[in-house]
Amino acid sequence: MMFTFQKWSSWSLIGVIATVVALVTVVHFFLSPESPLDNFGARQVDMIENSSIQVIGSRQEGKTVVPNNISDGGNMPVNGSTDGSKQLSGPVERGKDDENQKQQSMVDLNIQYPADSRNAVVYRGAPWKAEIGRWLSGCDSKTAAVKIVQEIGGKSCKNDCSGQGICNRQLGQCSCFHGFGGEGCSERLQLNCNYSGSKEDPYGRWVVSICSAHCDTTRAMCFCGEGTKYPNRPVAEGCGFVINPPSEPGGPSLADWTKADVDIFTTNGSRRGWCNVDPKEAYDGKVHFKEECDCKYDGLWGRFCEVPVQSVCINQCAGHGYCRGGFCQCDKGWYGTDCSIPSVLSSVAEWPKWLRPAQIKIPDSDKQTGKIDNLTAVVAKKRPLIYVYDLPPEFNSLLLEGRHFKLECVNRIYDHRNATIWTDHLYGAQMALYESMLTSPHRTLNGEEADYFFVPVLDSCIITRADDAPHINMQDHSGLRSSLTLEFYKKAYDHIIAQYPYWNRSSGRDHIWSFMWDEGACYAPKEIWNSMMLVHWGNTNSKHNHSTTAYWGDNWDTISPERRGNHPCFDPDKDLVLPAWKHPDGSSLKSKLWSWPHEKRKTLFYFNGNLGPAYEHGRPEDTYSMGIRQKVAAEFGSSPNKKRKLGKQHAADVVVTPLRTDHYQEELASSIFCGVMPGDGWSGRMEDSIFQGCIPVIIQDGIYLPYENVLNYESFAVRIQEDEIPKLISVLRSFNETEIEFKLANVRKIWQRFLYRDSVLLEAERQKNILGLVEDWAIEFSKLLEDDVFATLIQVLHYKLHNDVWRRELNHGKEYGLPRECLIRS
């Protein structure tokens, strides 16, 4: 970090400034001509001089004192910026530089950046659609930082949230912990583990969180409870119920949800216990324990949950709070879902990087009253600027806290060392994206200057938790998780409309929502459809004009138009498909399979995955994969189906198989073309193909893949129409060596844009700072220098900021740090 505080020659002035800075960190410090300066000695002066915070507008003898030669901010490290590893330069000066710009002739971007034969313009290694790549080449790379005022909140909350919540210092409202509610979090809620019981079902109808032991009604979680040796040991799922043996050889064992298993409380070594089992005795084989019991809850580790570990929170509370099961309990002076927003009570020396270097201004009214409700900090930032809503915890933190499966809807957990274990959860992209937004230098606390507004609703948690928590009410949704999730988004919209002034200025078109579940934004409420949707499922509904999932609980066809409207699932003019989350694997990066040359790729076409009901263990639904995988298998299947038949056009260099392999990545890397087909909605096959350097062959009509509406797919991919599946291999054989080499080379150039490297490196930094731990995945990811998912998203947003037609209707009046030819014109 560059230190930009200007040392002053007068020690008396230093004393005044020390007093003003101290104002930021003390609740009720009164400024007046008689205010003593003796309380602020060398330590406070050192803090000011050794920070990147400047205080301006302080008073001395009734006059405003402004230090000479205040820096414009120096350099700022870029996280997810369009400049990759470069540094942000200082903001452009108004006046002289603006006049020079006006005198310069405008550059013709069409001439300076011509398209290639495939109508692509390459920017930062990626082949973009011509008009996008052209603007990025001539404008995104030339963006200068501008001065942006940041609002630092100082409002108080009722009863300081009673110690059972966090005060949002911008709104003056409490975010209450699990089990507490009301304006000041003083109300105790009752979150039951079970539905109401009956004579036939004494513990209530089945739900994953059904409990036969002690229910913690603040979280709807089941534990052994008082009177047992280990009262805080979880009794999750079938652990507390009698397990019936299989009804036939090889069949599954089933829990009897009407009969509690009292043996879990036993201390008799001959019976299968749980709540009183000593871990050491169990590990030594001296006692029996119930194998169906497990350590499923987050924050616990070991076969018997004997080791407390970190829970998963957004950004692990940014170093300014404690993660309590998924909810950040912030330190005094900090708030926000990840405790990353400083209030006037915070220490300025601890402000996050995206708020530095800063020049602090304390309002005159606050100086006169002696009470600071708000203050402002001027920060040099590059556009686009993103305002991240600090939503109530029901949309994020409360969905992370109380999870009944620690792997559910997160991209990581922590082991007995508190070291990171990355998950394979495909929906982990939502958390990675959210964390990058919160830590990006493109983030702003000033909604009036913001170019975009990000609405962080964790639908990947809502839809996975719908079936495991009675307090997430499904009774009004006929068991449809899609309907429940739509309701959550509608509530978030209602909150924004009620609490913030920003929606109506563009009818929500500058707002961004993420929908990461199988059916994407298909079930978005009609009220928010003007906004930009970040999804994994880019179905334009041009051919598949209905719910395409084979799982009935996610079907949205029956959701009424009064709630959903009549919109498609994806609009390529405003929305964007983002890559799915993939496990950050250091050993995989080391192998560099993406770089394998053409001569090592002996297989022409490769696909390994579920091929439907014609195969052993195949999905039984005919609607699975919209029938696409089944059609490919019928033509080119390389493994026998249930009738012991191969595909009609089976070839030696074509692999289409449902058989799992331990060498999946190597087999992809040994192939020239790899199949990309849907599963239940989207699948991660595009990412598999790209990461192993294989040319993706997309077979799903009218359904967009990651970045397909912004990158030039002809440069690195192949699309086959569903009706042309029988011609698939003949089409692939028609490509000559030059075309194949060209596409393979482009895959090698863009593969890092499918990685959530920014989020992974944030975690690597946390691990190093807290544990001094640097593991293989951190080392390998730190070597990657090209643009990742978040950097690509920022580039797309920057382009849209100056090229979306609807923005011409707005009265901008903003400084953009761009030459004239880049600005949107009416």
Side-chain angles (χ1 to χ4, degrees):
M1 180 67 63
M2 219 176 188
F3 298 144
T4 60
F5 186 85
Q6 177 73 34
K7 293 186 179 180
W8 294 3
S9 59
S10 171
W11 280 100
S12 60
L13 284 179
I14 291 177
V16 174
I17 297 305
T19 304
V20 178
V21 173
L23 256 172
V24 182
T25 57
V26 180
V27 185
H28 295 298
F29 183 90
F30 292 89
L31 265 181
S32 69
E34 293 80 30
S35 294
L37 303 181
D38 296 338
N39 294 331
F40 303 93
R43 180 169 169 269
Q44 285 77 12
V45 172
D46 288 343
M47 184 273 287
I48 303 168
E49 292 185 335
N50 292 291
S51 71
S52 55
I53 306 296
Q54 299 175 347
V55 183
I56 61 178
S58 60
R59 298 260 173 184
Q60 185 182 24
E61 297 180 356
K63 298 180 180 180
T64 300
V65 178
V66 181
N68 295 324
N69 302 320
I70 286 183
S71 166
D72 275 334
N75 294 331
M76 299 193 326
V78 178
N79 169 15
S81 75
T82 55
D83 289 315
S85 60
K86 295 181 180 179
Q87 302 288 318
L88 286 178
S89 60
V92 295
E93 294 183 11
R94 297 177 185 265
K96 183 177 179 180
D97 285 351
D98 287 347
E99 189 62 32
N100 289 340
Q101 277 193 350
K102 292 178 182 178
Q103 293 175 3
Q104 293 173 356
S105 60
M106 292 179 62
V107 176
D108 191 332
L109 299 178
N110 293 303
I111 295 175
Q112 190 169 358
Y113 303 100
D116 63 18
S117 60
R118 294 167 180 81
N119 200 31
V121 172
V122 175
Y123 175 64
R124 295 184 64 83
W128 298 77
K129 290 191 172 182
E131 65 277 13
I132 300 175
R134 184 175 294 120
W135 188 91
L136 291 174
S137 297
C139 302
D140 184 69
S141 59
K142 298 178 182 178
T143 309
V146 295
K147 290 181 178 178
I148 302 296
V149 172
Q150 305 293 296
E151 299 290 338
I152 309 300
K155 292 184 178 178
S156 60
C157 289
K158 183 177 181 180
N159 298 330
D160 201 21
C161 304
S162 307
Q164 301 295 349
I166 301 303
C167 179
N168 180 316
R169 297 284 176 177
Q170 181 186 14
L171 299 178
Q173 297 176 357
C174 290
S175 293
C176 302
F177 300 147
H178 238 323
F180 298 91
E183 185 180 354
C185 301
S186 59
E187 299 177 15
R188 185 70 177 261
L189 306 181
Q190 181 83 8
L191 303 179
N192 294 321
C193 293
N194 305 350
Y195 288 111
S196 298
S198 64
K199 185 177 181 180
E200 296 78 16
D201 292 308
Y203 295 97
R205 64 183 175 85
W206 179 87
V207 67
V208 173
S209 63
I210 195 168
C211 180
S212 67
H214 168 69
C215 179
D216 179 351
T217 56
T218 66
R219 297 179 287 172
M221 300 177 79
C222 191
F223 297 89
C224 289
E226 295 297 327
T228 63
K229 188 173 182 179
Y230 300 99
N232 295 320
R233 187 172 288 174
V235 181
E237 202 174 359
C239 176
F241 293 86
V242 171
I243 305 296
N244 294 323
S247 57
E248 58 185 33
S253 298
L254 300 175
D256 185 341
W257 301 104
T258 67
K259 296 179 181 178
D261 182 4
V262 296
D263 283 352
I264 65 169
F265 304 105
T266 186
T267 56
N268 187 330
S270 65
R271 298 160 68 187
R272 300 195 311 158
W274 176 250
C275 290
N276 295 296
V277 171
D278 182 271
K280 186 177 186 306
E281 291 184 349
Y283 289 137
D284 291 342
K286 295 179 180 179
V287 295
H288 295 282
F289 62 90
K290 190 172 183 178
E291 289 79 6
E292 287 81 7
C293 297
D294 201 356
C295 199
K296 292 184 168 69
Y297 293 173
D298 198 10
L300 297 168
W301 195 261
R303 184 64 184 83
F304 300 93
C305 314
E306 69 271 25
V307 181
V309 299
Q310 279 194 88
S311 298
V312 178
C313 278
I314 300 297
N315 275 326
Q316 297 309 115
C317 307
H320 296 296
Y322 164 71
C323 179
R324 41 172 291 163
F327 196 121
C328 283
Q329 183 171 340
C330 302
D331 298 337
K332 187 172 183 179
W334 298 85
Y335 67 98
T337 303
D338 67 338
C339 304
S340 65
I341 307 177
S343 73
V344 298
L345 307 180
S346 66
S347 168
V348 295
E350 297 178 356
W351 280 11
K353 293 178 182 178
W354 52 271
L355 275 177
R356 294 184 178 211
Q359 300 169 343
I360 296 177
K361 296 182 179 180
I362 299 178
D364 287 342
S365 59
D366 290 339
K367 298 170 193 174
Q368 294 166 2
T369 63
K371 180 179 179 182
I372 301 179
D373 285 330
N374 293 285
L375 58 85
T376 60
V378 181
V379 184
K381 286 183 171 292
K382 283 189 175 184
R383 294 187 184 273
L385 299 179
I386 304 171
Y387 183 92
V388 182
Y389 283 109
D390 184 39
L391 294 182
E394 66 182 288
F395 302 106
N396 37 69
S397 300
L398 293 182
L399 293 166
L400 289 173
E401 187 177 5
R403 301 191 319 281
H404 283 262
F405 297 103
K406 64 180 70 175
L407 297 175
E408 202 169 52
C409 79
V410 296
N411 60 3
R412 64 182 183 272
I413 58 174
Y414 297 96
D415 69 8
H416 63 286
R417 303 171 299 159
N418 277 327
T420 309
I421 296 180
W422 295 107
T423 75
D424 291 316
H425 203 286
L426 289 175
Y427 315 109
Q430 191 163 58
M431 192 161 183
L433 175 69
Y434 189 11
E435 291 183 325
S436 289
M437 284 280 190
L438 289 169
T439 56
S440 171
H442 293 277
R443 182 184 180 186
T444 181
L445 297 177
N446 186 343
E448 296 302 325
E449 280 285 354
D451 304 310
Y452 294 96
F453 297 83
F454 182 64
V455 190
V457 178
L458 297 183
D459 75 314
S460 61
C461 283
I462 297 169
I463 211 158
T464 52
R465 295 210 58 197
D467 295 330
D468 78 5
H471 66 283
I472 299 179
N473 191 349
M474 290 281 287
Q475 293 182 359
D476 298 332
H477 301 281
S478 303
L480 293 177
R481 303 187 302 181
S482 53
S483 175
L484 171 74
T485 308
L486 181 150
E487 182 179 85
F488 266 83
Y489 280 94
K490 174 61 165 57
K491 287 181 178 178
Y493 161 80
D494 291 338
H495 173 79
I496 289 170
I497 291 294
Q499 300 295 331
Y500 297 91
Y502 308 125
W503 181 274
N504 289 335
R505 73 182 192 182
S506 68
S507 299
R509 287 177 293 187
D510 54 5
H511 281 56
I512 303 171
W513 307 70
S514 63
F515 285 79
M516 298 305 186
W517 198 246
D518 288 354
E519 290 287 274
C522 300
Y523 48 78
K526 63 184 180 183
E527 288 83 0
I528 72 171
W529 187 248
N530 276 344
S531 301
M532 181 181 186
M533 309 298 175
L534 302 179
V535 300
H536 294 323
W537 184 237
N539 187 3
T540 60
N541 303 86
S542 57
K543 178 176 181 178
H544 303 283
N545 193 22
H546 54 80
S547 182
T548 57
T549 179
Y551 178 63
W552 69 272
D554 293 342
N555 193 294
W556 48 268
D557 287 336
T558 59
I559 297 177
S560 68
E562 287 76 19
R563 300 176 65 210
R564 181 185 175 275
N566 190 31
H567 61 74
C569 299
F570 179 79
D571 182 348
D573 288 335
K574 68 179 181 67
D575 303 331
L576 187 67
V577 181
L578 292 181
W581 171 261
K582 289 291 182 178
H583 181 278
D585 187 347
S587 60
S588 177
L589 289 180
K590 276 185 180 179
S591 63
K592 298 184 178 180
L593 298 178
W594 53 270
S595 68
W596 281 19
H598 186 188
E599 55 267 23
K600 290 187 68 172
R601 299 177 180 270
K602 306 300 182 183
T603 301
L604 177 70
F605 178 82
Y606 182 87
F607 183 82
N608 186 320
N610 198 304
L611 298 178
Y615 290 81
E616 294 290 341
H617 310 297
R619 285 287 295 269
E621 309 94 341
D622 290 333
T623 54
Y624 176 70
S625 188
M626 301 179 290
I628 294 173
R629 293 189 185 188
Q630 295 91 312
K631 292 177 183 177
V632 172
E635 294 290 336
F636 309 105
S638 57
S639 298
N641 59 20
K642 290 178 181 178
K643 296 181 179 179
R644 314 308 301 167
K645 291 184 177 180
L646 299 175
K648 291 181 288 186
Q649 299 186 57
H650 169 60
D653 60 350
V654 174
V655 176
V656 177
T657 179
L659 302 178
R660 292 184 176 274
T661 172
D662 293 332
H663 306 287
Y664 178 61
Q665 293 180 333
E666 290 79 3
E667 291 179 13
L668 287 165
S670 300
S671 306
I672 300 171
F673 298 99
C674 295
V676 177
M677 294 168 266
D680 263 337
W682 63 271
S683 73
R685 302 314 176 113
M686 182 69 177
E687 292 76 10
D688 291 343
S689 177
I690 292 289
F691 289 153
Q692 318 315 324
C694 188
I695 300 170
V697 179
I698 302 155
I699 312 174
Q700 46 189 49
D701 294 357
I703 299 168
Y704 280 68
L705 273 295
Y707 312 131
E708 193 170 359
N709 53 334
V710 293
L711 293 186
N712 187 285
Y713 259 50
E714 186 182 345
S715 298
F716 61 88
V718 177
R719 259 199 179 269
I720 300 291
Q721 296 298 306
E722 294 171 27
D723 292 342
E724 296 179 343
I725 286 175
K727 301 178 182 178
L728 168 63
I729 299 305
S730 61
V731 170
L732 299 182
R733 293 195 194 281
S734 70
F735 286 102
N736 59 40
E737 294 296 306
T738 301
E739 185 67 17
I740 290 173
E741 290 287 0
F742 178 78
K743 290 181 183 291
L744 287 173
N746 275 309
V747 171
R748 289 194 287 270
K749 292 175 183 176
I750 67 168
W751 71 276
Q752 291 188 39
R753 291 183 182 268
F754 286 73
L755 282 176
Y756 287 86
R757 185 191 73 240
D758 184 76
S759 178
V760 173
L761 291 181
L762 285 171
E763 179 70 3
E765 184 178 4
R766 286 191 288 265
Q767 289 285 288
K768 184 177 180 181
N769 292 340
I770 296 172
L771 300 178
L773 187 63
V774 180
E775 300 197 283
D776 283 349
W777 56 265
I779 294 172
E780 293 304 318
F781 268 78
S782 67
K783 296 176 182 177
L784 304 178
L785 301 176
E786 305 302 324
D787 296 334
D788 73 336
V789 171
F790 192 66
T792 305
L793 172 61
I794 293 296
Q795 290 161 8
V796 172
L797 294 179
H798 200 198
Y799 169 80
K800 291 173 66 65
L801 173 62
H802 294 286
N803 292 275
D804 278 345
V805 175
W806 62 264
R807 286 198 181 260
R808 298 175 186 174
E809 303 169 9
L810 299 181
N811 181 19
H812 296 286
K814 296 179 181 178
E815 187 178 356
Y816 290 101
L818 285 174
R820 285 187 300 156
E821 61 266 20
C822 300
L823 301 176
I824 193 166
R825 294 178 290 277
S826 60

